[in-house]
């Protein structure tokens, strides 16, 4: 549940039931009407709705400099607030008065100039502050009709720019936008083959007669693949789960000219005659991803029903009856939507294919450490900067299994830590390729000790003892600072047992009692949390298997 503040230059009828779309899943408050960016409380999300006709006077086109200055002052106000807050800031804006009353005016150029100036400056801020999100409300209201969304009567009676219909549309859109920001996107899309990514049954119709790419229904299957490929390019893994011969399916992907999806787009094949629920469960273990990260699309209602019953955490699509609707249905699914993407998202499929090669070769070696030394692992430490801040934020939101505390941070918060504490990102390469930034470590100093606030590692990289190396790095930093050791904090969640298993495997860590912890932290004892377990790593403790990188 997120704590949300909604502010607006227009009165919003906050006591109306229209806001239940947001309030049923979140704690929301409204600012006093007309007061924006004036809160001193702490919120997860701040929504600021700016109706430009409330900020500038569109009818005073003879003095555009005055109105431009008003917009500039608003932009300065927004930036000033962004510097102070760690909340995610949503700026929704509308200039409907232009469309409604002035569309045929000879001064239309000046009216459009105001909005363009505002949007251009807002986009400059967007590049600078990654916790800023922009929502063009006019695109929303255009769908339901401007005349139905806005109300002059409401404006004159209670300074509310919108009609009841407009407020309902706004509430629904904001609810959807908040969900996208606040929810981790799904990580895997599992697709059937026959009558799903192509029309027809491959084993019966044959390679040349499946429907894909031709005019008519074949084009719908082709467009469905285009959407799937776009989702994959944004960082979602694609898996094929089909009761077919794997060699036949691969032949279609590699050789059929009309295919949009290729073998290089597919992370894993579960093409066999096993139950699909069993295949998905194996896939979850193979990829080390929770079942709630998976989305399943199959044209067969029996297969869908089986997966729903046996794996209720998996999201199962109910495809519409007409295949022509499928591309739109898949593209509008919010589970794959991301506001910010990182460079690693584009390489996700390649990185998981690299992981498969690593695991396959590892099985051939009896001496695990010898194998790890032979694959030339190199770990590079990076400080947080503009080029990797997106990845740092993404790791805190997406990494659930090997994550000591599962704290979720936005851009401003990590930048704040970067100034006050020790924040390090780790990049890994080996003979299989560049795996990108795979870990984030945040250390805070309290008296004579370092405290691990955040220690997380991408699960696709487990098996290389990278976690041992990073913990040893923390220990070395403690020695360098002439401190006494490192305190490890672990907060249990439903999914982060791999992190606890690692802690237990070390067999060198001493669990700290509350009195011991208070004695160590002194006046800083307020950081002690009831749901946490604390361990002490002394500077002289030996971390096994951390020296394979020397």
């Amino acid at each position: 549940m997120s704590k949300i503040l909604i502010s607006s230059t227009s009165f919003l009828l906050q006591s109306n039931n229209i806001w239940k779309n947001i309030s049923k899943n979140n704690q929301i408050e409204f600012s006093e009407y007309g007061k924006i960016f004036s809160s001193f409380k702490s919120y997860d999300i701040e929504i600021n709705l700016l109706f430009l006709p409330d900020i500038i006077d569109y009818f005073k086109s003879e003095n555009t400099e005055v109105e431009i200055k008003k917009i500039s002052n608003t932009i300065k106000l927004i930036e000033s607030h962004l510097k102070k807050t760690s909340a995610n800031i949503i700026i929704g804006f509308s200039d409907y008065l232009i469309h409604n009353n002035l569309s045929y005016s000879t001064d239309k150029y000046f009216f459009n100039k105001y909005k363009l100036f505002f949007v251009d400056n807002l986009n400059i801020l967007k590049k600078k502050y990654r916790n800023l999100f922009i929502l063009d409300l006019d695109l929303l209201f255009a769908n339901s009709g401007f005349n139905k969304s806005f109300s002059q009567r409401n404006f004159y009676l209670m300074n509310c720019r919108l009609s009841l219909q407009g407020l309902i549309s706004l509430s629904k859109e904001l609810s959807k936008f908040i969900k996208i920001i606040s929810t981790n996107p799904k990580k895997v899309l599992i697709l059937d083959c026959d009558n799903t990514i192509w029309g027809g049954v491959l084993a019966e119709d044959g390679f040349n007669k499946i429907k894909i790419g031709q005019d008519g229904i074949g084009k719908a299957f082709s467009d469905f693949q285009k959407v799937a490929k776009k989702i994959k390019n944004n960082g979602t893994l694609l898996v094929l789960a089909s009761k077919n011969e794997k060699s036949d399916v691969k032949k279609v992907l590699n050789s059929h000219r009309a295919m949009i999806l290729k073998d290089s787009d597919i992370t894993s094949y579960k093409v066999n005659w096993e139950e699909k629920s069993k295949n998905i469960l194996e896939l979850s273990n193979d990829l080390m991803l929770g079942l709630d990260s998976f989305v399943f699309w199959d044209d067969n209602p029996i297969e869908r029903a089986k997966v729903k019953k046996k794996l209720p955490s998996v999201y199962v699509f109910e495809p519409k009856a007409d295949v022509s609707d499928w591309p739109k249905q898949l593209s509008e699914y919010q589970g794959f939507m991301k506001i910010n993407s990182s460079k690693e998202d584009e390489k996700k499929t390649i990185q998981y294919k690299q992981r498969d090669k690593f695991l396959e070769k590892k099985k051939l070696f009896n001496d695990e450490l010898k194998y790890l030394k032979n694959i030339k692992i190199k770990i590079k430490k990076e400080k947080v900067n503009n080029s990797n801040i997106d990845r740092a934020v993404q790791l805190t939101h997406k990494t659930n299994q090997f994550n000591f505390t599962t704290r979720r941070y936005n851009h401003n918060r990590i930048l704040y830590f970067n100034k006050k504490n020790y924040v390090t990102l780790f990049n890994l390469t080996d003979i299989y390729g560049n795996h990108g930034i795979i870990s984030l470590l945040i250390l805070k100093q309290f008296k004579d000790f370092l405290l691990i606030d955040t220690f997380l590692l991408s699960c696709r990289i487990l098996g290389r003892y990278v976690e041992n190396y990073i913990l040893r790095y923390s220990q070395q930093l403690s020695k360098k600072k002439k401190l006494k050791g490192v305190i490890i904090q672990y907060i249990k969640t439903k999914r982060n047992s791999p992190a606890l298993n690692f802690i237990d495997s070390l067999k060198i860590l001493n669990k700290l009692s509350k009195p011991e912890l208070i004695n160590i932290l002194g006046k800083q004892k307020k950081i002690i949390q009831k749901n946490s377990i604390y361990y002490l790593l002394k500077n002289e403790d030996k971390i096994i298997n951390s020296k394979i990188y020397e």
Side-chain angles (χ1 to χ4, degrees), residues 7 70 144 148 174 179 250 272 300 384 399 402 542:
S7 306
K70 291 179 184 177
S144 53
K148 291 182 179 179
L174 288 175
K179 187 176 180 181
K250 280 205 166 192
N272 50 44
N300 189 327
V384 173
T399 309
F402 195 98
K542 185 179 179 182

Side-chain angles (χ1 to χ4, degrees), residues 250-266:
K250 280 205 166 192
K251 181 182 177 183
V252 175
L253 267 71
N254 291 325
S255 306
H256 200 295
R257 292 183 178 180
M259 284 292 292
I260 305 298
L261 294 176
K262 303 295 183 184
D263 177 63
S264 59
D265 296 313
I266 309 303

Side-chain angles (χ1 to χ4, degrees), residues 163-207:
S163 65
L164 184 61
Q165 179 60 49
L167 286 165
I168 291 171
S169 298
L170 176 63
S171 175
K172 288 181 178 179
E173 184 70 9
L174 288 175
S175 178
K176 181 171 71 174
F177 204 70
I178 290 166
K179 187 176 180 181
I180 294 170
I181 292 175
S182 306
T183 307
N184 289 331
K186 301 292 185 180
K187 297 180 179 179
V188 185
L189 172 58
I190 305 169
L191 297 172
D192 181 32
C193 291
D194 294 331
N195 289 314
T196 298
I197 61 173
W198 59 65
V201 179
L202 181 59
E204 297 175 5
D205 299 324
F207 179 92

Side-chain angles (χ1 to χ4, degrees), residues 204-389:
E204 297 175 5
D205 299 324
F207 179 92
N208 293 318
K209 291 189 178 180
I210 57 172
K211 297 174 183 177
I212 176 70
Q214 308 95 327
D215 289 339
I217 202 65
K219 195 171 187 308
F221 284 109
S222 180
D223 285 345
F224 181 77
Q225 287 193 34
K226 288 178 183 177
V227 176
K229 185 153 186 165
K230 184 177 180 181
I231 290 169
K232 169 257 174 186
N233 288 340
N234 285 335
T236 301
L237 303 178
L238 285 188
V239 173
L240 295 186
S242 174
K243 290 181 178 178
N244 250 309
E245 292 294 337
K246 185 176 178 179
S247 58
D248 292 342
V249 171
K250 280 205 166 192
K251 181 182 177 183
V252 175
L253 267 71
N254 291 325
S255 306
H256 200 295
R257 292 183 178 180
M259 284 292 292
I260 305 298
L261 294 176
K262 303 295 183 184
D263 177 63
S264 59
D265 296 313
I266 309 303
T267 299
S268 181
Y269 290 86
K270 290 296 181 183
V271 180
N272 50 44
W273 305 100
E274 300 282 354
E275 284 291 333
K276 294 194 176 181
S277 57
K278 181 182 177 183
N279 281 328
I280 295 172
L281 195 58
E282 288 179 358
L283 189 66
S284 173
N285 294 327
D286 291 345
L287 299 177
M288 296 193 73
L289 295 173
L291 288 169
D292 58 353
S293 299
F294 290 76
V295 173
F296 179 62
W297 185 299
D298 195 304
D299 70 294
N300 189 327
I302 296 175
E303 297 288 2
R304 297 198 301 269
K306 287 181 179 179
V307 171
K308 278 184 179 179
K309 183 177 180 180
K310 295 182 179 180
L311 305 175
S313 297
V314 175
Y315 180 86
V316 179
F317 265 104
E318 287 297 325
K320 294 187 177 181
D322 190 340
V323 176
S324 302
D325 294 323
W326 288 9
K328 185 172 184 288
Q329 184 181 1
L330 181 59
S331 67
E332 290 180 346
Y333 174 58
Q334 293 180 33
F336 296 127
M337 293 183 182
K338 299 177 183 178
I339 303 297
N340 290 325
S341 297
S342 70
K343 294 178 182 177
E344 272 73 13
D345 286 331
E346 300 172 8
K347 306 172 185 175
K348 194 67 68 183
T349 299
I350 295 172
Q351 290 169 343
Y352 270 90
K353 284 177 177 283
Q354 291 169 345
R355 177 180 177 274
D356 287 343
K357 290 179 182 177
F358 165 78
L359 293 174
E360 287 173 11
K361 292 284 185 180
K362 189 177 180 181
K363 293 176 183 177
L364 303 177
F365 281 74
N366 293 324
D367 189 333
E368 181 185 40
L369 295 182
K370 184 178 179 180
Y371 168 67
L372 292 175
K373 288 181 178 180
N374 285 340
I375 65 174
K376 299 178 181 179
I377 300 174
K378 292 183 179 179
I379 300 176
K380 178 184 176 184
K381 297 183 285 291
E382 296 183 16
K383 293 298 180 184
V384 173
N385 54 49
N386 288 334
S387 67
N388 58 32
I389 181 69

